[in-house]
Amino acid sequence: MPLFWTASAYAQEEAAQDNTPFSGDMAPGDAGQQAPEIEPIKPPPLEDPIEAVDIKGNSRIETSTILSYMVVQPGDRFNQDLLDRSLKTLYATGLFHDVTLKRLGNVLEVHVVENPIVNRIVFEGNHSAKDEDLTKVISLRPRAVYSPQGIAADRQKILAVYAEKARYAATVTPQIIRLAHNRVDVIFHINEAQKTLIKKVTFVGNRAFSSARLAGIVSSKETAWYRFFASSDQYSPERIKYDAELLHRFYLKNGFVDFQIKNATGELSPDRKSFYITYTMEEGPRYRLNRMDVRSSLRHVTGESMRKYITLFHNQWYDGSAIEHNATNMQEMLQGKGYPFAMVHPEIARNPEKRTVNLLFDISEGPRMYVERIDINGNTITQDKVIRRQLPMAEGDPYTPLDRKYSKMILEDLGFFKTVSIDQTPGSAPDKVNISADVVEKPTGEFSLGGGYSTDAGVLGNLGLKQHNLLGTGIDAGFTGTAAYYEDQADISLTDPYFLNRNLVAGVDLFGIQNRYMTYQSYSEGRYGITLRMGYSYNNRLSQSWSYTLTDRNVGDTWSDSSYYVLDQAGWSLLSQLSTTLTYDTRDRRQQPHKGFVIRVGGDFAGIGGNERYLRGKIDAAYYVPLDSIMGNHDWTVEMRGGVGDIMNWGGGRSDIIDNFYLGGTTLRGFMDGGVGPRSMAISARDGNPMHSQEDFLGGRFLYTASATVHFPIPFASAMGLSGRYFVDMGGLDGLRVRNRYTSMKDWPKYTPVYGDTLTPRVSTGVGIAWKSPFGLVNIDLGVPLVRQEHDRTQLLRFGFGQQF
């Protein structure tokens, strides 16, 4: 009598937890009756040896391969446990649809039904996810073995892809089409559905701040018609966690030391079309700073000497981020003064009754650690030396946790890598550590093609081709070109940020510029030349740059009745100029700073060859004041700017007006470029019979500017990248600097009066909008002159691309 072991029999045995072999159905007699005594047929003993294993039903999988998967082998005995394990192992391979083990005498017959082979995989209905993206996430491949379990797992992976795209209502239906030769086509029918957006964001437990105020803190936003460029109204579990951290930082910054997020959940609506986000919190009391002190265990460093470095003040609201920032500044200062292992830990002591916090900065020496080895991993294009030279430490240097933090920041700022991680492992001794910088590179080439409009240049088109990591050397090379109604420009640049493997930035520019601003000037100007640049940093804040420029210049296209000041400029000149700029910068970031200041002192010396002779100096400063404590919002900033410049001739300089200072436009909004300062009338206008109303802007010798701007968020528009500003600008320009003066009647017939040569302040005010559009930064300013002089040229609206930094 044969014995069978099948998948169903195995399942029954598992469910019943019965280890007796399955031997078919039995039909006992009726209850209360004794069955006739019939001698049963005894099966062969299970423990007999297996003489052979006969594999049947396989056409694609080799017999030897099937035998290798089995636990029981010829020569083993018919053991129930071995047979069960063999059956289970064959199913676990995923190669078979059905498996049956049958004993025929002392031969074990294994009958298999193979799973089909996948012929092809097709995705239908997918638009927001490409075929290649879906293929990457699923495990099924053509010519692989098909299994229902694998199809179910891949279906969930595809749904996960659509969940990342905020399409939680998407459905995926697998379809199997059977083909000849035991092959199948697998078709995933996808219904992407609409994006599942955030319908409502709710805050529970907030008393100190309104829900509207907190809604401006979190990055998750309720869906609205104007968020067509933003993704903040798309649900993401990671964003919810991030928002919880943002709320925690916000409350700590505003004095709520005991603040806690009890729960942060996202609930999907029954129709799977929207999410409802709920943040449940416990604010606790609000604390102010009371007593602040410093305790030091470092030799030659006393707490008394360090108190002057506390930048916080008594009775201010507790600010966790400001405290950490103060501690970090003190630690960096000590490490820079010869205490490389100095550590500063802020400690607080609450007084719930008085709602005050005592703050103590504890200064101690951390464990002495030194860098034994630095390993660079993952860079296939970028050279090792390009990465190593950026790190703040080298082999043998002292090592602190701040080194690890800044190493990651510096490498990320290079812009060469998708991800950067800095890991440390123990070295060969307790005081040694090995550093590993693991990077994942990204493309560093850049191609741009665009167009637009600016008040200066008119309708424009631009083309750019750049490589920020040329051949992995860190060298920045590029070409930019602009063709506009009033201006054409081309520039080829090459910059080495570590020239001669030193802290030197060196570069060269080849440029050509053709200006045709003949709407408010009666001449055109061409510049073609080369600039050699070099710069270096004294420390993280102080840097200096040098440049030498050789420029071939031409003033042409003058009108026959242009003023004599302009006619004197017509023709060719050669400028040979050496320039330097010293910069001290404490801003938190270069573009759109929030706090800190920057001071620039620059000078130009013309006369190293060429036929220009002048000395020009300029001082500019900007100071940024955050209004976080007043407005409770990080997006409010006061920007104050000021500048002064002067130019003087030497050695019989030509006094060309194209080298003068000009005021207006970006330097004095509400006034036209060059619209403030010395101007002259055309010859025909001077004679009282003007052929046109043209004025020639002559520029000036001495310039001063001042500006105050309040940057603020625009309600309901921040997610679109829009921000606003209100400004007040002031400035003045005087000092007629021309080749020949014709301001006296004695100069007749060339007598030409000059207007606007006065330092009397001009003042304007207005509002502006900045938009971080998908096409670049767009700036629009509406300026209204408050104080102006006769003949000043005004401009109400100014529009353009770019960012001043």
Side-chain angles (χ1 to χ4, degrees):
M1 178 179 179
L3 295 181
F4 295 89
W5 288 265
T6 65
S8 57
Y10 180 80
Q12 293 176 22
E13 292 166 2
E14 287 291 315
Q17 296 183 354
D18 185 2
N19 292 325
T20 60
F22 179 71
S23 57
D25 296 332
M26 299 183 63
D30 295 336
Q33 296 182 0
Q34 185 175 0
E37 295 182 2
I38 301 175
E39 185 177 351
I41 299 175
K42 295 182 180 181
L46 278 175
E47 297 299 328
D48 288 348
I50 300 172
E51 294 180 358
V53 177
D54 188 12
I55 309 295
K56 294 182 178 295
N58 58 314
S59 60
R60 186 179 69 253
I61 305 171
E62 297 290 338
T63 298
S64 59
T65 301
I66 299 176
L67 282 171
S68 70
Y69 288 134
M70 296 180 62
V71 178
V72 65
Q73 298 292 322
D76 294 339
R77 296 186 179 277
F78 282 94
N79 179 276
Q80 180 72 46
D81 180 60
L82 293 179
L83 293 170
D84 288 346
R85 289 166 58 193
S86 295
L87 182 67
K88 187 175 182 179
T89 302
L90 289 174
Y91 267 99
T93 63
L95 298 173
F96 308 107
H97 175 68
D98 190 25
V99 179
T100 302
L101 305 182
K102 182 170 66 173
R103 176 177 179 176
L104 295 175
N106 287 334
V107 175
L108 178 63
E109 184 179 280
V110 181
H111 185 79
V112 297
V113 178
E114 294 176 341
N115 274 328
I117 293 295
V118 176
N119 178 53
R120 63 180 182 137
I121 302 170
V122 179
F123 303 98
E124 292 185 352
N126 56 308
H127 303 288
S128 62
K130 298 180 180 179
D131 285 4
E132 52 265 32
D133 295 332
L134 297 178
T135 301
K136 290 178 182 179
V137 301
I138 64 175
S139 56
L140 199 63
R141 293 289 183 270
R143 295 182 297 279
V145 177
Y146 162 83
S147 70
Q149 296 85 355
I151 292 294
D154 286 343
R155 174 181 175 273
Q156 293 300 322
K157 292 176 182 177
I158 295 173
L159 288 173
V161 170
Y162 280 96
E164 292 177 358
K165 298 179 180 294
R167 296 180 184 270
Y168 288 86
T171 59
V172 178
T173 306
Q175 180 184 0
I176 309 302
I177 299 178
R178 298 192 177 275
L179 307 173
H181 308 295
N182 200 22
R183 295 176 302 129
V184 295
D185 284 344
V186 179
I187 302 176
F188 290 100
H189 294 280
I190 301 172
N191 180 8
E192 294 185 333
Q194 296 294 323
K195 288 186 177 181
T196 310
L197 304 179
I198 299 173
K199 183 71 173 179
K200 185 69 175 177
V201 178
T202 304
F203 301 91
V204 178
N206 56 307
R207 299 186 306 275
F209 300 99
S210 66
S211 294
R213 179 70 184 88
L214 298 182
I217 300 300
V218 298
S219 61
S220 298
K221 306 296 183 182
E222 296 177 1
T223 183
W225 65 268
Y226 50 81
R227 300 195 196 279
F228 48 86
F229 279 129
S231 61
S232 56
D233 56 353
Q234 299 176 13
Y235 173 79
S236 168
E238 295 302 319
R239 181 181 284 139
I240 299 302
K241 296 178 183 178
Y242 175 64
D243 287 342
E245 179 62 24
L246 289 179
L247 288 171
H248 189 260
R249 293 179 184 178
F250 171 74
Y251 272 92
L252 279 182
K253 187 177 180 63
N254 287 278
F256 293 87
V257 182
D258 301 325
F259 174 81
Q260 291 183 352
I261 289 286
K262 294 295 185 180
N263 201 8
T265 59
E267 183 179 356
L268 185 61
S269 64
D271 60 4
R272 304 181 68 85
K273 292 183 178 180
S274 58
F275 267 97
Y276 294 84
I277 312 299
T278 303
Y279 300 95
T280 305
M281 63 193 71
E282 184 177 313
E283 292 180 334
R286 194 177 189 186
Y287 290 82
R288 293 183 182 272
L289 287 179
N290 185 25
R291 187 164 57 89
M292 292 171 286
D293 205 351
V294 180
R295 179 178 63 203
S296 174
S297 59
L298 287 181
R299 293 184 59 185
H300 310 301
V301 177
T302 65
E304 181 67 29
S305 65
M306 294 298 296
R307 288 193 186 100
K308 61 184 178 182
Y309 296 106
I310 298 178
T311 58
L312 307 166
F313 54 89
H314 176 73
N315 208 39
Q316 79 170 81
W317 291 115
Y318 177 91
D319 186 341
S321 61
I323 292 173
E324 288 295 333
H325 183 69
N326 197 168
T328 300
N329 286 343
M330 294 172 68
Q331 184 169 305
E332 291 180 348
M333 185 272 297
L334 288 169
Q335 291 176 357
K337 289 190 174 183
Y339 302 92
F341 304 106
M343 306 292 288
V344 180
H345 299 283
E347 299 178 0
I348 63 171
R350 301 177 180 84
N351 187 333
E353 295 180 357
K354 296 183 179 179
R355 297 189 176 184
T356 60
V357 169
N358 291 333
L359 175 62
L360 175 68
F361 291 100
D362 181 48
I363 301 176
S364 60
E365 186 173 63
R368 291 177 174 266
M369 300 292 290
Y370 298 90
V371 179
E372 182 176 21
R373 190 179 72 251
I374 298 178
D375 297 321
I376 310 295
N377 304 311
N379 54 315
T380 58
I381 299 176
T382 307
Q383 299 176 10
D384 271 17
K385 67 177 183 179
V386 174
I387 299 176
R388 289 180 180 274
R389 70 194 184 191
Q390 297 292 329
L391 299 176
M393 69 282 189
E395 280 90 347
D397 286 353
Y399 176 76
T400 68
L402 281 177
D403 290 329
R404 182 178 181 182
K405 170 186 174 183
Y406 286 124
S407 296
K408 186 175 188 299
M409 292 173 55
I410 290 170
L411 294 184
E412 288 175 339
D413 288 344
L414 284 176
F416 300 164
F417 311 112
K418 290 181 182 177
T419 60
V420 175
S421 63
I422 306 294
D423 300 313
Q424 64 184 63
T425 56
S428 60
D431 63 342
K432 296 184 182 300
V433 63
N434 296 323
I435 305 301
S436 175
D438 300 302
V439 300
V440 177
E441 292 182 311
K442 68 179 182 181
T444 55
E446 179 183 318
F447 174 76
S448 61
L449 180 65
Y453 174 83
S454 75
T455 308
D456 293 338
V459 178
L460 59 87
N462 54 60
L463 171 69
L465 183 62
K466 295 183 179 181
Q467 175 52 255
H468 301 291
N469 188 17
L470 185 65
L471 301 177
T473 61
I475 292 177
D476 192 299
F479 166 81
T480 58
T482 300
Y485 190 80
Y486 296 119
E487 178 183 85
D488 296 325
Q489 180 174 343
D491 183 274
I492 299 175
S493 64
L494 189 71
T495 303
D496 186 350
Y498 258 78
F499 186 59
L500 300 177
N501 290 322
R502 296 179 178 274
N503 180 28
L504 291 174
V505 179
V508 58
D509 295 292
L510 298 173
F511 60 88
I513 304 172
Q514 185 68 42
N515 293 331
R516 299 180 297 274
Y517 298 149
M518 300 191 68
T519 55
Y520 54 86
Q521 290 179 173
S522 59
Y523 62 91
S524 65
E525 177 191 354
R527 297 173 184 253
Y528 305 92
I530 183 173
T531 297
L532 303 177
R533 297 175 280 107
M534 184 181 70
Y536 46 85
S537 298
Y538 296 101
N539 52 47
N540 290 336
R541 295 181 175 179
L542 184 63
S543 62
Q544 188 169 14
S545 65
W546 294 84
S547 67
Y548 171 74
T549 302
L550 184 66
T551 310
D552 181 286
R553 310 184 304 178
N554 183 65
V555 174
D557 294 330
T558 58
W559 296 352
S560 60
D561 60 346
S562 297
S563 73
Y564 288 108
Y565 303 111
V566 171
L567 295 175
D568 285 346
Q569 305 291 308
W572 169 87
S573 65
L574 182 65
L575 172 66
S576 176
Q577 176 177 286
L578 180 67
S579 304
T580 185
T581 301
L582 187 67
T583 303
Y584 188 77
D585 194 345
T586 68
R587 296 175 297 175
D588 55 346
R589 51 181 180 260
R590 295 296 181 264
Q591 291 192 0
Q592 295 182 321
H594 185 56
K595 60 182 177 181
F597 65 90
V598 58
I599 300 174
R600 296 186 181 93
V601 180
D604 304 316
F605 177 78
I608 309 175
N611 50 14
E612 298 288 352
R613 301 285 188 274
Y614 63 78
L615 182 64
R616 181 169 56 198
K618 186 81 185 297
I619 300 176
D620 290 295
Y623 184 59
Y624 300 86
V625 181
L627 299 181
D628 300 19
S629 58
I630 299 175
M631 307 303 299
N633 192 320
H634 191 70
D635 296 328
W636 288 79
T637 308
V638 173
E639 173 188 359
M640 292 178 285
R641 285 183 171 271
V644 61
D646 193 13
I647 182 171
M648 61 186 68
N649 295 338
W650 70 276
R654 288 165 50 97
S655 297
D656 285 331
I657 62 174
I658 56 178
D659 297 315
N660 290 344
F661 290 113
Y662 285 83
L663 182 59
T666 57
T667 56
L668 187 61
R669 287 162 287 194
F671 293 85
M672 184 179 291
D673 287 89
V676 172
R679 295 174 308 287
S680 65
M681 300 298 293
I683 296 175
S684 57
R686 179 205 65 173
D687 295 337
N689 184 24
M691 296 175 60
H692 56 81
S693 59
Q694 179 69 40
E695 280 187 328
D696 292 320
F697 297 170
L698 305 179
R701 182 186 62 82
F702 182 80
L703 167 79
Y704 71 91
T705 60
S707 175
T709 305
V710 179
H711 299 272
F712 56 87
I714 299 178
F716 310 111
S718 297
M720 298 174 58
L722 286 169
S723 61
R725 55 179 171 262
Y726 169 74
F727 61 85
V728 177
D729 291 350
M730 182 185 71
L733 175 68
D734 84 337
L736 183 61
R737 182 178 176 273
V738 292
R739 187 173 302 180
N740 297 295
R741 287 177 174 263
Y742 305 113
T743 56
S744 171
M745 291 299 295
K746 297 178 181 179
D747 302 318
W748 190 265
K750 293 186 176 182
Y751 163 73
T752 305
V754 172
Y755 306 97
D757 185 11
T758 174
L759 282 179
T760 302
R762 277 72 156 188
V763 182
S764 66
T765 187
V767 294
I769 293 177
W771 179 30
K772 294 180 181 178
S773 75
F775 324 103
L777 186 63
V778 178
N779 284 294
I780 302 175
D781 285 300
L782 189 150
V784 178
L786 298 179
V787 178
R788 52 175 295 191
Q789 299 292 310
E790 189 179 2
H791 298 288
D792 286 346
R793 300 289 292 274
T794 63
Q795 184 179 64
L796 180 65
L797 189 64
R798 185 171 184 82
F799 177 89
F801 292 89
Q803 172 66 41
Q804 188 179 26
F805 61 93

